[in-house]
Amino acid sequence: MYLKTGEEFIQDMIDMNFELYIDGGKISGKSVVNHPQVRPMMNALATTYDMQHEEKLKDFLLTKSHLTGETISRWTHVAQTVEDLIRKVDITRYANRRIGMCSFRCVHNAFPAMLATAKKIDEAKGTNYYKNAIEYIKYFQKNDLIGCPAMTDPKGDRLLKAHEQDDPDMYLRVVEKDKDGIVLRGAKLCQTGSVCAHEKFVAPSTTHYPGSEDYAVCCAVPGNAKGIKNISVRYSQDARRKEGLEWDIGNVKYGFHETVVIFDDVFVPWERVFMCGEVEFTGMLVNLAGACHRPTTGGCKTGWSDILIGAVQAYAEINGTANVSHVREKITDMIMHNETMYSCGIAACVKAQMYEGAGMIPDIILANNTKYVASKAVYDLVRLAEDITGGIITTLPSEREFKNPEIAHYLARFYAGADEKPAEHRARIVRLIENLTYGAGALCHSAAHGGGSGQACKITMYHASKGEPLQSRVSDAKRLCGIKEESE
Amino acid sequence: MYLKTGEEFIQDMIDMNFELYIDGGKISGKSVVNHPQVRPMMNALATTYDMQHEEKLKDFLLTKSHLTGETISRWTHVAQTVEDLIRKVDITRYANRRIGMCSFRCVHNAFPAMLATAKKIDEAKGTNYYKNAIEYIKYFQKNDLIGCPAMTDPKGDRLLKAHEQDDPDMYLRVVEKDKDGIVLRGAKLCQTGSVCAHEKFVAPSTTHYPGSEDYAVCCAVPGNAKGIKNISVRYSQDARRKEGLEWDIGNVKYGFHETVVIFDDVFVPWERVFMCGEVEFTGMLVNLAGACHRPTTGGCKTGWSDILIGAVQAYAEINGTANVSHVREKITDMIMHNETMYSCGIAACVKAQMYEGAGMIPDIILANNTKYVASKAVYDLVRLAEDITGGIITTLPSEREFKNPEIAHYLARFYAGADEKPAEHRARIVRLIENLTYGAGALCHSAAHGGGSGQACKITMYHASKGEPLQSRVSDAKRLCGIKEESE
Amino acid sequence: MYLKTGEEFIQDMIDMNFELYIDGGKISGKSVVNHPQVRPMMNALATTYDMQHEEKLKDFLLTKSHLTGETISRWTHVAQTVEDLIRKVDITRYANRRIGMCSFRCVHNAFPAMLATAKKIDEAKGTNYYKNAIEYIKYFQKNDLIGCPAMTDPKGDRLLKAHEQDDPDMYLRVVEKDKDGIVLRGAKLCQTGSVCAHEKFVAPSTTHYPGSEDYAVCCAVPGNAKGIKNISVRYSQDARRKEGLEWDIGNVKYGFHETVVIFDDVFVPWERVFMCGEVEFTGMLVNLAGACHRPTTGGCKTGWSDILIGAVQAYAEINGTANVSHVREKITDMIMHNETMYSCGIAACVKAQMYEGAGMIPDIILANNTKYVASKAVYDLVRLAEDITGGIITTLPSEREFKNPEIAHYLARFYAGADEKPAEHRARIVRLIENLTYGAGALCHSAAHGGGSGQACKITMYHASKGEPLQSRVSDAKRLCGIKEESE
Amino acid sequence: MYLKTGEEFIQDMIDMNFELYIDGGKISGKSVVNHPQVRPMMNALATTYDMQHEEKLKDFLLTKSHLTGETISRWTHVAQTVEDLIRKVDITRYANRRIGMCSFRCVHNAFPAMLATAKKIDEAKGTNYYKNAIEYIKYFQKNDLIGCPAMTDPKGDRLLKAHEQDDPDMYLRVVEKDKDGIVLRGAKLCQTGSVCAHEKFVAPSTTHYPGSEDYAVCCAVPGNAKGIKNISVRYSQDARRKEGLEWDIGNVKYGFHETVVIFDDVFVPWERVFMCGEVEFTGMLVNLAGACHRPTTGGCKTGWSDILIGAVQAYAEINGTANVSHVREKITDMIMHNETMYSCGIAACVKAQMYEGAGMIPDIILANNTKYVASKAVYDLVRLAEDITGGIITTLPSEREFKNPEIAHYLARFYAGADEKPAEHRARIVRLIENLTYGAGALCHSAAHGGGSGQACKITMYHASKGEPLQSRVSDAKRLCGIKEESE
């Protein structure tokens, strides 16, 4: 049994010597780890590792591997029971609430989908993917790793299939295969934490169809494999991280980092390949991975939004308005939206189905519903939060002004709260609300598109519903109003 | 083990010889059972009894009593596990979908609340309520009964407490106590199924405060006890039940019946009393009963709305529009609303808490959230249903016109559907949609106010949240933005 | 100058000797006028005629015909100015509020569209439709008539064009033409007031395409023309009208009546024909008619909903809760929805465009937006109304029970309101709310599909927007972010 | 007639030699004008001045002063007709759309309220405020000035009145009066453009009550008056303005600047005072100013959102998805929200009322409704925009990376759009969408709290409705359901 500490994780990241294109240049190694836009994410992940050494959290966060019998982090576990699935939602909520953002430990959500699909392919094609997958998971658990899911392709013209694009690399593809392995070319976008993770887990972003065999690839590579190039993206308020200020950041210790990852002919050995060319199984993989992942939204966005609710309540207390009726109504509506997202995630777990040899896979309709609901609810949460907070969310002076001795006394007075709450409290809380709503940790982005857009989930729900689930309802309706079908 | 059949249930109802004030007069016995506004509810309940004799449903609907070890209907069971609670939601969804309306078998939802409260009162006061409650439940299970919850008081001026009202009977109260029992006076409104149930389960509709001791009463009486007067209410489209038509009714076999019940000095023996005067425990009873009952909403409204979705899909197929993109989007949104209500109910069960000697009581915040969410979602469901159905929902001729030979050929032609679907199908489906949305089975009424209004649930959520749940979020928010409290 | 009175209108209707299929048989003449399901609509229209003789309303309701210079009712006027258009919205709001339902005086909304289209056809084809239209309007004004718009066709399979349907009569069509006139065959559905109007105004329900020339017909016929058959439809709670009760009806004097109208070879003389076969102009007619009519929604639904707001406020006063904070918030939200619908209608009028020789035609995007907004807002209005009203909306005893001497004293006590408001007041107000939301006057039906569905309006908005209005926004966006187009 | 040019405006600002606390220090004069966080706002205002010299806009933007007969900018005009009011909405929409943000030319909205109130005070108290106000407006028009409204006070504990606060300066107040003038002390927050405006227009942020006389002050001072201290605030993404990049800014030329303004004993001569101590008139001033200003929201947010819609449509075209059905539905919903806000503003103008000697004042209910509606609609607009745009809104590399020669070819390929649209177009459009939704120009802040919060508007609507408007609806409802009041 090996459970990594935060410090060990940071050392891993230094040792991996990532290269990162950022600020118009390229940096590497410790400079990546300590770059002001990367370090907050390192801190967040280190905290998730440190948590598992906290006595009071051990029962909550650790379990036994069903593969090895070893004690492992639940963040590397493959759910085997409904309780495992529910725990995943609860852990995500807890961790996100603890760090006030995405805890980025959900790559293992893909494992049951990968296993189930690999098994099916092996059965149909006599391949050996399932064993590869099992071995990989054991390796992952044993070394207590973090993986970065690499799904989103550039996609070019959305109306064309992968192999119909003008540029053949608009979806990641296999450009070479030999006896040792395969070579990947293309790019994956929206790569949260690609320079903060040991592994990249590569999978298709969408169902592929015959003709697109080269694009049907699922595999794993170390994050620092040769040919991988990480290009930093920028998000709202990223530049504030470079100013050396604390108040203005809102979430003072933790934050995101995201990249575009170029795969410039990256070699992957066969033992890390779980699908290669079996285009007819991409739909299964994509749909099951979605079903496995999306209930987590019910923990993810709620943990985050727990902090938003707490911050807004804190702000109302600073204003002396926490007991005003419309504020109470709005706080309760925030709780309603939050617990509804959570409930959707929990229910998807309860109605899960066991895939033998793989794991529990949540109900596909309820799972996609979770994400679809969340993709709308967060905007209501932001609206209610801003409603209670007021115009100050965009009109607060910087910490630098609060500390300029010539004017500090004005700001200290005019931003003081009810019950002698100091202006600094007001400023810090407002910056946290700003961070969660418009800033570096914007909840909406994550809920709108992270892990699949609301529309993608909606379409999946429709397709999963339109056969028996919808037609059996039609039959029930006809029965009740007295319609006899010929076939009856 | 005794499991009633539908036929036995109907006979019970005849035997009870209920009196009912209706149509400006009074009827009794068989005339009640067969009155066109009452019979559809009798049918619905008879169907619920018959279900438990269907082979394929036995595992689903039956269980062992934790009190007697006997096989009983789950509709008389006191939930002892999370699985019991989830099953309750699923059974409610199944039954409501089967009959296209409320299945009215949820009085047992109140039992854990009654037991927990009785136990607490006994501990504090040395009373004997808990034993009464246990014996009553055994009796209820053994005879496979239906109970009608009698909660809603007339309430008079809503801003005054029970004992402050001009008319002391605006809340049901105890007007006499002697060694044998107590005497009740007042009324209970919104009494679904009072002439279709063996028992009345009387409980306060709201928390009472010192001074209102006479109003703090929880007990059970046979539905036909001396002094009880049932006065029929009328609901949308009730008069259609008297016309002898089938198409125009929509749900041809099943329907509601509701009454106002007058308690004109009704005697209740002490062994059926579970609270009498302990005003400080009314809050506990009301809140726990709400928590126990409200997750059921997640099965109740969804079973109903499953039929609405089925009917709307059937209608789109008649129109030939089932594959039009906006129709598919709207059907999916209906599914989203439906599964979200369901998910809220399931999650409240998952996060339940055991009350020793009583049973599992769902999470109070998640339970109230379920009802609050449903109280809004149903209007969106109705809006989407009417959107897809079209103006015909209010402009369809009666079955009488469809059968008038002079014009029947016109209507047969002009109401025919795509793919040669006959006009009768269109007419029956439209009437079912009308029934569910604007008619006798209007989903909205049940979701808006049945089992507590959305606002009542919202207020309960706020009060359950405002202590630790909200303040621990405040602390987390402060921690993340770097606010140190003096006390830290 | 001739301005009809209500009494004269009723006499007209008797004189027209309408035949109506209803209750499984056929009635005619006075029996139609006095049928309990028809009479309330007669009353409503008679009231609109009587209004124009009220001294204080003359300035508001009368104007000069721009065709004859005679003083006429604004309900027969062709709007020539923005003020005329705004007045139409205001009159509709006033009248609907006065009678608590649709005032059914909006057929003249179609006149500018008919004139503009007739003029265009004449210019292109050398026909004589414009003169016919002008003469018809003069006749209509001079005799102060009511017209029933006959638009909605049965439509069969919605994915097929008119001439592709299995049954050629699924859209109304011209089956014969000779030197005297044309002969119509088919049916029109959703015919509000067809037995309460002097004239039928026939127009296509949708744009037709080449091949469907026979379906491109716009004309006028007397409501009692030979071959017209009126078949009554039924709506929610229609049967209550036959019980002789007053309280239970809600809106005691006024109500709707709707039919299906069969055109069994109806002759129309050429001087009443405004389009016949010019299929390429049906789109213009349909779109302009929609633009002319839909701002009226902004007065129509609001007048109705003014009554709903008033009734709900009255009910809160009976409960003593009118000053409770959440009730005030909800009443204000009702006002918000109401004034927003109104504002949309007003703005569409303000941005109208003059069609020379025809009249002012409201902005097509803003006009369709009005209806689209209303088609959603009404469900929120109903939700808020039911929220405040409570479960009583579906659990109130009938007037018959309130008047049964054996139980009247119970009901009088238990339904009494705060401040000694009598139970009768509560009962009447609840029935009015029921009428407006679930009953005979259901606001939702009218807003959802009356005058074109929300979806139809949405599609029209998109098509009207997608050229210049959208592309000029694209250009502005590109300019601001520094994108230079090649063409620039 | 004098109409300033943009260049003259910039020179004015240099000449005023503003001092600004920013970046932890203090700057002044040209350094303020050219500070990267200030200059974009200077550009925006200069553009508004240049517009009035564009030939094609003259009729649209210019009018005659009703006070002097001189040709003036409509941005300094006091509306005398409904057309004037509507034009204001249309000009605001046009200007905001042109610059993609708030055009900041609406201080004159306060003038009719100021005049009407000054007149009433003079009549009641024999003061001379009205003449001061008239002279000030003439001066303002003659010199074609910009004024910065100074309303929002720090407010301290929101539950206490101004004079009850621990710190007496929590609302701006008069600390001295002598024969020459008055002295102001306190602060005004949320001061958009305080270093980009010639004048400060000071008015109360809320109704004051007896005891708070010192706080009842309305007056004007030059923006650079002695004692005024401008402290810069920071908003989302402000730091990007300092990086010298163009793409990443989104709106490349225009932007906001906001401050906190300290009034450290600022002298105002009597001829610039329009209220001083007449606490009983603060309610009138605040309510009328709100009514005058809030319809502008209907032009303001829509102009802005026109750009958002254009940008989103442009983005869908880059993706090749502009004709996908769900994208079209969402674009249309964006148009619906946009035109609804606009319609609300227009209707409030149409139903305006003339205040003699002052000007046209929009309907108070419809005006407040406009802002209340907008305060919710913008979040739906942002949700829909982000839905269509996708995850790229937060995962796009910086311009610096796009221009790093080592990786530029990757980004050029992988961000290319359909139809060979270059990656630069994608990047610029995404940054514009980011700017409008989460960035420096966030539409939500402006709609949520600028010019009064949604809740403030809602409360005003309730109070304006609760007398006659609500009670006359109650009477109509009672009449329709047959309730006779004693008084009738």
Side-chain angles (χ1 to χ4, degrees), chain B residues 21 24 167 169-170 234 236-237 243 248 260 264 330 379 386 401 406 410 413 415 445 449 455, chain C residues 21 24 167 169-170 234 237 243 248 260 264 330 379 386 401 406 410 413 415 445 449 455:
Chain B
Y21 291 91
D167 181 333
D169 297 343
M170 278 306 196
R234 72 179 314 174
S236 189
Q237 306 181 3
E243 298 172 335
D248 290 11
V260 175
D264 195 350
K330 284 165 189 163
Y379 296 91
E386 185 159 7
E401 271 57 71
E406 235 185 291
Y410 292 125
R413 278 178 66 201
Y415 286 98
H445 306 318
H449 291 285
Q455 185 67 28
Chain C
Y21 291 91
D167 182 334
D169 298 343
M170 279 307 196
R234 71 180 313 174
Q237 305 181 4
E243 298 173 336
D248 291 11
V260 175
D264 195 350
K330 284 164 189 163
Y379 295 89
E386 184 157 9
E401 271 57 71
E406 237 184 290
Y410 292 125
R413 277 178 67 201
Y415 287 97
H445 306 318
H449 291 285
Q455 186 68 28

Side-chain angles (χ1 to χ4, degrees), chain B residues 432-451:
Chain B
L432 178 57
I433 297 170
E434 188 194 15
N435 172 286
L436 291 163
T437 53
Y438 292 89
L443 174 58
C444 292
H445 306 318
S446 169
H449 291 285

Side-chain angles (χ1 to χ4, degrees), chain C residues 357-368:
Chain C
M360 288 301 281
I361 296 194
D363 180 79
I364 190 165
I365 294 173
L366 297 177
N368 280 282

Side-chain angles (χ1 to χ4, degrees), chain A residues 85 288 291-293 295 348-349 351-353 360-365 367:
Chain A
L85 288 173
L288 292 188
C292 288
H293 179 60
C349 297
K351 298 294 166 182
Q353 199 185 328
M360 290 300 281
I361 296 193
D363 181 79
I364 191 166
I365 294 173

Side-chain angles (χ1 to χ4, degrees), chain D residues 393-404:
Chain D
I393 205 171
T394 193
T395 59
L396 181 74
S398 165
E399 179 182 349
R400 287 182 293 224
E401 270 58 70
F402 274 94
K403 293 187 168 165
N404 177 344

Side-chain angles (χ1 to χ4, degrees), chain B residues 21-22 154 167 170 187-189 229-233 259-262, chain C residues 247 392 395-417 421-427:
Chain B
Y21 291 91
I22 192 167
D167 181 333
M170 278 306 196
K188 291 285 186 178
L189 313 185
K229 292 178 196 319
N230 297 289
I231 304 174
S232 188
V233 311
T259 63
V260 175
V261 177
I262 309 296
Chain C
W247 301 11
I392 197 172
T395 60
L396 182 74
S398 164
E399 179 182 349
R400 289 182 291 225
E401 271 57 71
F402 274 94
K403 293 185 168 167
N404 177 343
E406 237 184 290
I407 52 172
H409 62 288
Y410 292 125
L411 298 179
R413 277 178 67 201
F414 292 123
Y415 287 97
K421 297 206 181 68
E424 180 183 341
H425 286 203
R426 185 191 295 273

